[in-house]
Amino acid sequence: MPQPIAATNDFVVKFANVNGSGSASANALFAKSILRMGIPASSRNIFPSNIQGLPTWFEVRISDKGHLGRRGGVDMMVAMNPQTWDEDIAEIEPGGYLFYDATKPLPPSKFRDDITIIGAPLTAISNREYNDARQRQLFKNIIYLGALSALLDMDAAAIEQLIGEQFRGKDTLIKPNLRALNLGRDWALGEQECPIGLRLERADQVGQRISINGNDAAALGCVYGGATVAAWYPITPSSSLAEAFATHCRRYRIDPETKKKRYAIVQAEDELASIGMVVGAAWNGARAFTATSGPGISLMQEFIGLAYFAEIPAVIFDVQRGSPSTGMPTRTQQADILSCAHASHGDTKHVLLFPEDPHEAFAFAAEAFDLADRLQTPVFVMLDLDIGMNDWLVEPLAWDEDRQFDRGKVMTAEELEAGVEFGRYLDVDGDGITYRTLPGTHPTRGAFFTRGTTKDRYARYSEEGPDYVDNMQRLLHKFATAKRLVPAPVKRTAREATRFGAIYFGSTAPAMTEALEALEERGIHLDTIRVRAYPFHDDVLDFVAAHDRIFLVEQNRDAQLRSLLINDGDIDPARLVPILHYDGTPITARFIVKAIGDMLDVVTLAPLRKALP
Amino acid sequence: MPQPIAATNDFVVKFANVNGSGSASANALFAKSILRMGIPASSRNIFPSNIQGLPTWFEVRISDKGHLGRRGGVDMMVAMNPQTWDEDIAEIEPGGYLFYDATKPLPPSKFRDDITIIGAPLTAISNREYNDARQRQLFKNIIYLGALSALLDMDAAAIEQLIGEQFRGKDTLIKPNLRALNLGRDWALGEQECPIGLRLERADQVGQRISINGNDAAALGCVYGGATVAAWYPITPSSSLAEAFATHCRRYRIDPETKKKRYAIVQAEDELASIGMVVGAAWNGARAFTATSGPGISLMQEFIGLAYFAEIPAVIFDVQRGSPSTGMPTRTQQADILSCAHASHGDTKHVLLFPEDPHEAFAFAAEAFDLADRLQTPVFVMLDLDIGMNDWLVEPLAWDEDRQFDRGKVMTAEELEAGVEFGRYLDVDGDGITYRTLPGTHPTRGAFFTRGTTKDRYARYSEEGPDYVDNMQRLLHKFATAKRLVPAPVKRTAREATRFGAIYFGSTAPAMTEALEALEERGIHLDTIRVRAYPFHDDVLDFVAAHDRIFLVEQNRDAQLRSLLINDGDIDPARLVPILHYDGTPITARFIVKAIGDMLDVVTLAPLRKALP
Amino acid sequence: MTYIAKPRLRHPKLPTNALGYTHRDYEGAVSTLCAGCGHDSISAAIIQACFELSLAPHRIAKLSGIGCSSKTPTYFLGKSHGFNSVHGRMPSVLTGANLANRDLIYLGISGDGDSASIGLGQFAHCLRRAVDMVYIVENNGVYGLTKGQFSATADKGSKARRGAVNTDSPIDLVALALQLGASFVGRSFSGDKAQLVPLIKAAIEHRGAAFIDVISPCVAFNNNPESTKSFDYVRAHNEAVNRLDMILERDEITADYAPGTVETVVQHDGSVLRLRKLAVDYDPYDRISALTHLQQRHALGEVVTGLLFVEPDSGDMHDLLDTVDAPLNGLGEAELCPGPAALAKFNASRR
Amino acid sequence: MTYIAKPRLRHPKLPTNALGYTHRDYEGAVSTLCAGCGHDSISAAIIQACFELSLAPHRIAKLSGIGCSSKTPTYFLGKSHGFNSVHGRMPSVLTGANLANRDLIYLGISGDGDSASIGLGQFAHCLRRAVDMVYIVENNGVYGLTKGQFSATADKGSKARRGAVNTDSPIDLVALALQLGASFVGRSFSGDKAQLVPLIKAAIEHRGAAFIDVISPCVAFNNNPESTKSFDYVRAHNEAVNRLDMILERDEITADYAPGTVETVVQHDGSVLRLRKLAVDYDPYDRISALTHLQQRHALGEVVTGLLFVEPDSGDMHDLLDTVDAPLNGLGEAELCPGPAALAKFNASRR
Ligand SMILES: Cc1ncc(C[n+]2csc(CCOP(=O)(O)OP(=O)(O)O)c2C)c(N)n1
Ligand SMILES: Cc1ncc(C[n+]2csc(CCOP(=O)(O)OP(=O)(O)O)c2C)c(N)n1
Ligand code: SF4
Ligand code: SF4
Ligand SMILES: [Mg+2]
Ligand SMILES: [Mg+2]
């Protein structure tokens, strides 16, 4: 048997549970207490499209180096689900650890001899201590948490404090939970030698960072961004964004005197209605958004085309999931890029934002409303299940004291009264963006008719070719203007000069950062640029021009961002090498390192090195 | 004043009328009688999105050379609409002719002095001869037809025969029409010198060709292709396709004994329902189709994604119109290419067919059902308003005596009984196409569950990454197989060897053919390839590889086919020069010649010529 | 359509309303519909109603879907913002607009294809939400703009030009509206301005979801006498349950009626509706009996018209959502953005 | 869910039906729904009904939308083809399938969100078309699969886990089905197998659009006693208007009833329905009075169940479309393709 893995503050623990068995909160406690110990950690839920009884996993990545993307591989498996026993055991790294419920014995054939096996009589303990079936089930989870805390040498105080916080209010629940916790600890301390090779040591590497999921953060960004109307239709993984918005609004948006709401949330009958309400509200001057996922994007196509052509602001959060069709509703992907960028029939181009984590999800959510108002067009915030539904450790959310909303070009009653010329589609500033008026502004001036048909610069119905072309050209010009307004990409230059570059975006960021370090150790240097929006900033094209070969890392099958880049940038496809991960699990550093490493090994680095100064 | 244009069997006549004034049939008679005289001619309707009272035009291109695309410019204007008088007059070529109703005099300022003006007292004549208002209106049209027949030296017998055919059955109507016709002829022969510079001379250049619009032809193709279920929702310009299918079915699909229908047509409540019905019917083994236009394509996205992922045949006719959004509902465009090729969220690729005219519309319609069954995926037939709603002069429709339907891979009760292994998504032949069974086939074998979620090769629900990737890779492989099955492109080699090429598709064909001749006269030689389907046949990629610079002619703003070609063919965009016409009118030879000519003049041809052997 | 554009100069003696607006101030562009189209009469009735109610034109927003009917907002209230959205989806756009600014008056104009075929779902759900609006369906039983195909209100068995026969059972939007919870439901006829104008006025004054089904014959495609949506048929079978007089608070009540023949309805804004009963047994406050009466008469081929149901003191969507009184589109940073201090607290809660 | 997969070996003594199939031949995969979910009882009732009717499993097609309810077709009739389509659109897919082959039996399974929220339009229009099917809504007043948001049948004022309150008035699918022309309408309760099984059997035997609204409590998100979709509430307020016995022609009629207490309905296929009246005044042949009764009782908080309306000799979509008797998906070149000769004639007509 290989050496048992020995690692401190740098390993992966995975919990295999049954959906609806109450393990979620115990597992969350485990992850949270590690953070409280000052150790960077991230956790990911892998759950089924079902409510109760199917397999679910909880993967915790602990990394003192602060690598919080998925690593791949498992150092310790907490195997609580008989249904998935075999695949769970198989996933453990050689030298790794298996923790399981040994109450009823299993044949040796069920185990591996290259791992350390720790069997705890969890059910036995729990049944001994509790009579009520539900209690037995629930506390079993806390018992294994206790056992783990001892095996991994965790700071018990941190856990106990968290339990205290969690049940604040329902204090009667605190004691029994603490008791269960200690049942587990006592068993481990008594029966096992603690700690094992994997251990946690109090550190000071978390700092000001917070633990939050992207849907929660984006929802708060909507509150800060001044959204007053939300229309949505439930769909995994986006529902929790709309629900979080409601929660935040109840906290921040109640009129202190009247106790009435400074917001309106409507759960629509479907996605056609939710986007329709957003379009109607935005047309009428409110900041409005909807949150959905792939199937919703498909249903919203017609309205998105109307908003593009009639030039109505709209903010759409697409929390991407496994696709096409119903696909893998509880898995992650970046595969809606084309269907959003070119949403609807005819010639259309839409603005997309690509936050890398919950921190940017908050920032871009607020930003999206300014962009939508400024550009008078739909703006998509492209989240995914990994960012949206998992708790990430990120920099604290930030808001500038004297930041003002940019409501864009809205002509006021005063301006109309003063006789300023108003043409709804008249490009007075030469940036392709025209002035609008809101209904009810002025008794006799500025009223116009909004429609999805062709019109002239004064919003009059027209079937004239020249009016149509004039308008479509202006829309292209407006899209060019958008380049300058959207979040700029983030560049990083390799330690050594290199002809190789990499482009990535969204939730790929943490895995990419980790991969770059590993590649560097292998002597492979890559300049990188993280794309944060479509249309592409000129820096992105310059970056491509400055490198011979660029790897474009995406989490979809068809290299969708690459196709946008090739077309908009008139780039020779040969120079953009797609690196594609799309099995529904978050991309890992290991995958990127292997994919890029293998290719560059083929290209034989030697001659390249020579080429460098 | 310039020389009045003198031309025989080669000029353009345009009628300016008021929608709903009954001019349509008189104008159609004009065009048809020219064909009856053995002279090639095509006609195009330019009509408003309205039922009665707005301007409408009818443009007839007469070309003994057989150039039947839109030419641009008007040699004779029949100006019957006061609303559009000024623009109509302006459109006449210098030296051209104006024919108008001179009953109430117009100030000289209303005319031009570089054209020949022919004023006929049409209203006066009509009011003199008829009392009933409706009759006065209707016969006025026949009167101007009569006048034109004299002025252009048309074969009166041909017109009279056509009138006879048109009113066969309602014979009482024949006489009055003939009378009206002669009222016009007599006036012209009496008051004007006939013929004018433009004249029609009996010829023998029409041959076996027929006059038909693309929707009618495609509908007949559906009958021949074995379609039994049609579900549709009315939308211009696709409605007449579904309505023509009904007409053809009443003629060809009634069971001789029972008089019952061998087809089912459902006008659905919307496009989501119509595509849903098509998917349900095709799943259940019927050949089913829907016809729609841009907005319908947007609404069908979700179902199209399901059909792609669950692999269900479906035939969709997209009769493209001016877009985006409601756009220009009565104008033509080729702008739904991207929204069809990548329809729905997630990674999808769909098969598109591009007929060049009604003749191919018939052929490809029938073909589409074989392809859909063979590939078990949606197949789009990309028509446009120009092909769909205008009468074109095309080769007669052809059908091979012993042609059989290709129903694709459907496992039979016998095979199942014999114990042949059945896995709905099991690629037994290595072409990416798997066997399906139809409901009700076998009492105990071959039943499976169809779903839009991920599944394994035996159609069992799965959330496993490997199952998902395996399936998505096979779909790519199937798409590669499609390359070989779709209609191959049509190549044409220039008289002189050249480094320049041109790619075009669909309704651009006639204008392109004419343009090539004109360019050749200017010493510009282009090899061409007409794309007839997506995915692209290897010949298309070879063609691109074989030329330094290729012009890609499209009728949309964003060079949509070009972007597909660049991506799928990994082609350097610099080599594909977009030639884009998208104002909603059919592209003209003049436009193409100018666009390509100008560019090549810049490139200064001399050095290129040298390069050639 | 008429080619003669109306002279725009204002005649000094044109009658004005309480706000000093003339009838012309409520008109729109010249109609491009077919001469004789029922829809144009409805536009005229809307203009008349808004003029008589002395509404400020710019405080009205008019929204529609796609169709000849949905085109009409261009032909009335030229000083109001309008939104010709997409086919069958006007209700959601109107709902959103209303959420953004509860202070405007919302007119939703639709057709039977737009609302009963493609739009049935949105039609139903916006009524369930009690959106404060006047929802008018210009019902001709046919798709006018696409040249005469059946809509979901077309008579079963009716024939289309191209020979197709309608085999689906027709939808009665009034019956649906009653069932779905609309708090004001009426039906009228484009040819009966005397009935239609007060009905529209009452609907505008009503707070909540007001629906009016207006039979509006399509002279181009569905005006043959057998059609229940034809001028002849409706004239012959029109069964008005009551006649409505709208009396604004400010107007003193003059007319007096024989006792027992009149219902008086006081609306939330104090305006008074007087219903002269025509069907004595008819009770416009009872949803269930209204529905029953409607269906029984319908079975006899009658077209029941009038103010069929009203729930005067019903609240609207904003009451249900408990939103602030000020229009949401008017709130600024101060009311909406919690600012950095609150964010610092929030951050702390996530450590 | 239960972890123990059922042993697949066939017990020799298992009872078989007329076709020689055992109950097990109608079962499906192991359910992955929550333990106690009402939907599982409905699956059991469907299995029971098909077994008792001795249907050949492969002659049944089961279609659904998306939701916990829409997942259930995986858990019954494992030998039948199934189609789990997209959310709210099962009706159009089923309609298309039925057009292609009129000889199969079509079961449409849906949820209240799937049919009353996103799917309301398709729900309505497929009933108008008289599609021959059994359309079952497993109605729990909530979105189960997405974890407890309101559906369009949720009670007004009910609270969701996350504190949101439902402000929309609920939709009664039975009332809509009656209005839209369904020719067989029933309501039952997942907890009342004795009522549900015969109702499903009768619906299957019925020719035309048969709709059954089955209250099916969601134990995870909407089973609190105040919910009108909870076990407790329905048990307490269930008002069955009648009890149904399905008697297939072949079965001899044994049971005898007190005179006047029984309705006998002979269906198109000769099968006989016996309705034991519970509400004496109730007439299941009268659409309008059925609707009225339903709404009056509903106003009293009662849940009216039973066979609420039936039109035994109503035709179906194929009768209306007048399609050939043979399934369209079985026709070949000979029947469908006119061939070259006809084409030559056609060409000639276009010269
Ligand atoms: C998504 C979509 N489908 C189809 C159409 C075509 N279309 C335009 S108007 C119309 C029907 C209008 O009927 P109705 O609402 O009754 O209005 P009417 O013209 O009869 O007044 C249709 C089908 C469209 N514009 N959009
Ligand atoms: C287009 C689309 N929108 C949203 C969803 C997410 N979704 C899945 S099931 C469901 C609701 C199901 O509710 P119901 O039909 O009542 O079924 P139940 O789970 O309650 O049985 C929703 C909104 C989806 N799958 N597709
Ligand atoms: S087609 Fe019918 S609905 Fe449309 S404008 Fe003409 S009459 Fe009116
Ligand atoms: S969530 Fe509700 S509906 Fe879904 S399986 Fe569980 S109990 Fe049934
Ligand atoms: Mg209509
Ligand atoms: Mg439900």
Side-chain angles (χ1 to χ4, degrees), chain A residues 51, chain D residues 33-34 37 39 68 140 144 218-221:
Chain A
I51 303 305
Chain D
L33 302 184
C34 301
C37 174
H39 300 351
C68 294
N140 54 17
C218 168
V219 295
F221 301 112

Side-chain angles (χ1 to χ4, degrees), chain C residues 47-219:
Chain C
I47 292 168
Q48 186 65 28
C50 294
F51 171 73
E52 292 180 7
L53 286 177
S54 298
L55 305 175
H58 70 297
R59 304 304 296 171
I60 306 170
K62 44 187 186 173
L63 297 95
S64 64
I66 302 283
C68 295
S69 35
S70 295
K71 279 180 171 189
T72 61
T74 320
Y75 316 137
F76 58 79
L77 297 176
K79 294 192 169 62
S80 310
H81 274 66
F83 195 158
N84 195 179
S85 65
V86 287
H87 191 31
R89 318 299 176 190
M90 172 274 285
S92 60
V93 180
L94 190 152
T95 302
N98 185 302
L99 288 169
N101 182 355
R102 60 189 299 173
D103 283 356
L104 301 183
I105 290 164
Y106 295 92
L107 296 182
I109 306 298
S110 182
D112 44 309
D114 200 56
S115 282
S117 299
I118 189 172
L120 189 62
Q122 293 211 345
F123 166 80
H125 291 289
C126 81
L127 295 180
R128 294 178 52 230
R129 289 194 183 97
V131 179
D132 186 13
M133 64 179 169
V134 179
Y135 191 133
I136 295 176
V137 167
E138 307 188 343
N139 189 349
N140 55 17
V142 74
Y143 292 169
L145 191 55
T146 51
K147 300 186 182 264
Q149 302 87 358
F150 308 116
S151 79
T153 68
D155 308 321
K156 197 166 188 165
S158 58
K159 261 200 168 42
R161 270 187 320 161
R162 288 185 185 66
V165 177
N166 180 32
T167 57
D168 305 338
S169 39
I171 286 179
D172 181 345
L173 289 171
V174 162
L176 283 184
L178 283 168
Q179 242 191 54
L180 293 162
S183 49
F184 180 110
V185 180
R187 173 148 49 208
S188 189
F189 172 43
S190 65
D192 185 352
K193 208 167 169 182
Q195 180 189 51
L196 183 53
V197 173
L199 205 51
I200 294 173
K201 286 164 69 180
I204 290 175
E205 294 296 314
H206 177 76
R207 170 106 155 293
F211 171 69
I212 308 177
D213 179 35
V214 186
I215 315 279
S216 177
C218 169
V219 296

Side-chain angles (χ1 to χ4, degrees), chain B residues 43-360:
Chain B
S43 53
R44 290 182 169 75
N45 242 309
I46 300 111
F47 57 100
S49 175
N50 143 291
I51 303 306
Q52 183 204 89
L54 289 190
T56 172
W57 293 269
F58 186 75
E59 193 174 289
V60 182
R61 168 99 189 254
I62 300 139
S63 165
D64 49 4
K65 291 195 214 58
H67 293 317
L68 299 178
R70 235 179 111 238
R71 184 197 72 182
V74 175
D75 301 310
M76 179 180 217
M77 177 67 70
V78 180
M80 304 298 297
N81 184 355
Q83 297 168 270
T84 57
W85 178 271
D86 296 342
E87 60 182 285
D88 293 336
I89 301 303
E91 200 178 351
I92 302 170
E93 299 275 303
Y97 302 78
L98 166 66
F99 179 94
Y100 76 106
D101 182 351
T103 302
K104 69 169 145 57
L106 287 163
S109 63
K110 284 295 204 181
F111 298 91
R112 273 167 53 182
D113 52 15
D114 62 343
I115 57 175
T116 305
I117 292 154
I118 305 166
L122 300 171
T123 307
I125 299 175
S126 176
N127 291 356
R128 188 188 67 221
E129 301 286 330
Y130 308 94
N131 315 331
D132 168 68
R134 186 76 188 136
Q135 279 194 335
R136 286 176 166 182
Q137 174 54 50
L138 286 178
F139 285 123
K140 197 199 300 181
N141 303 312
I142 303 297
I143 294 171
Y144 74 60
L145 175 62
L148 291 175
S149 71
L151 293 165
L152 300 174
D153 197 15
M154 292 170 73
D155 179 342
I159 308 180
E160 287 165 4
Q161 187 192 7
L162 279 168
I163 289 178
E165 294 173 16
Q166 184 171 359
F167 296 106
R168 182 172 297 127
K170 349 189 185 69
D171 295 20
T172 56
L173 291 176
I174 297 178
K175 256 217 189 55
N177 275 282
L178 292 181
R179 176 143 165 284
L181 187 74
N182 288 315
L183 285 169
R185 280 186 75 77
D186 299 346
W187 170 84
L189 295 168
E191 310 286 323
Q192 299 284 321
E193 100 166 26
C194 298
I196 57 172
L198 307 176
R199 60 172 57 187
L200 293 163
E201 220 170 57
R202 192 167 258 297
D204 188 9
Q205 294 157 314
V206 171
Q208 287 304 298
R209 283 183 286 179
I210 64 172
S211 171
I212 187 170
N213 69 63
N215 285 348
D216 195 8
L220 189 63
C222 294
V223 172
Y224 273 74
T228 52
V229 175
W232 66 295
Y233 188 70
I235 182 166
T236 308
S238 72
S239 304
S240 58
L241 197 163
E243 287 164 341
F245 181 69
T247 309
H248 294 313
C249 283
R250 278 193 291 274
R251 174 152 174 212
Y252 298 113
R253 287 286 192 79
I254 303 298
D255 181 296
E257 287 87 52
T258 64
K259 301 284 173 269
K260 291 186 164 192
K261 298 176 175 155
R262 288 172 172 163
Y263 64 96
I265 302 174
V266 174
Q267 184 191 306
E269 62 270 28
D270 65 12
E271 288 86 351
L272 285 91
S274 54
I275 185 66
M277 292 175 193
V278 168
V279 166
W283 171 77
N284 212 2
R287 291 194 147 184
F289 76 91
T290 188
T292 188
S293 190
I297 294 295
S298 284
L299 288 174
M300 294 179 184
Q301 297 279 316
E302 187 189 20
F303 258 121
I304 294 167
L306 172 68
Y308 172 79
F309 201 51
E311 297 178 74
I312 294 165
V315 174
I316 300 165
F317 292 89
D318 179 7
V319 189
Q320 299 168 91
R321 67 186 208 180
S323 50
S325 195
T326 307
M328 296 190 291
T330 59
R331 299 293 182 262
T332 195
Q333 240 175 25
Q334 300 176 317
D336 294 345
I337 296 170
L338 284 180
S339 51
C340 290
H342 294 304
S344 206
H345 60 282
D347 292 304
T348 65
K349 288 173 181 289
H350 303 289
V351 175
L352 317 181
L353 307 183
F354 303 105
E356 67 170 338
D357 64 8
H359 178 86
E360 267 188 357

Side-chain angles (χ1 to χ4, degrees), chain D residues 22-45:
Chain D
T22 69
H23 187 279
R24 189 153 298 165
D25 293 314
Y26 297 87
E27 293 172 359
V30 180
S31 169
T32 62
L33 302 184
C34 301
C37 174
H39 300 351
D40 280 334
S41 317
I42 300 172
S43 298

Side-chain angles (χ1 to χ4, degrees), chain A residues 23-68:
Chain A
S23 54
S25 69
N27 298 350
L29 271 172
F30 175 78
K32 209 128 207 277
S33 22
I34 294 171
L35 293 177
R36 285 294 176 86
M37 290 174 68
I39 310 164
S42 65
S43 52
R44 288 182 170 76
N45 242 309
I46 301 110
F47 58 100
S49 176
N50 146 290
I51 303 305
Q52 183 203 89
L54 289 190
T56 172
W57 293 270
F58 187 76
E59 195 174 286
V60 181
R61 169 99 191 254
I62 300 139
S63 166
D64 48 7
K65 290 195 215 59
H67 293 317
L68 298 177

Side-chain angles (χ1 to χ4, degrees), chain A residues 296-315:
Chain A
I297 294 295
S298 284
L299 288 173
M300 294 180 183
Q301 297 280 317
E302 188 190 19
F303 258 121
I304 294 167
L306 172 68
Y308 173 78
F309 201 51
E311 298 179 72
I312 295 165
V315 174

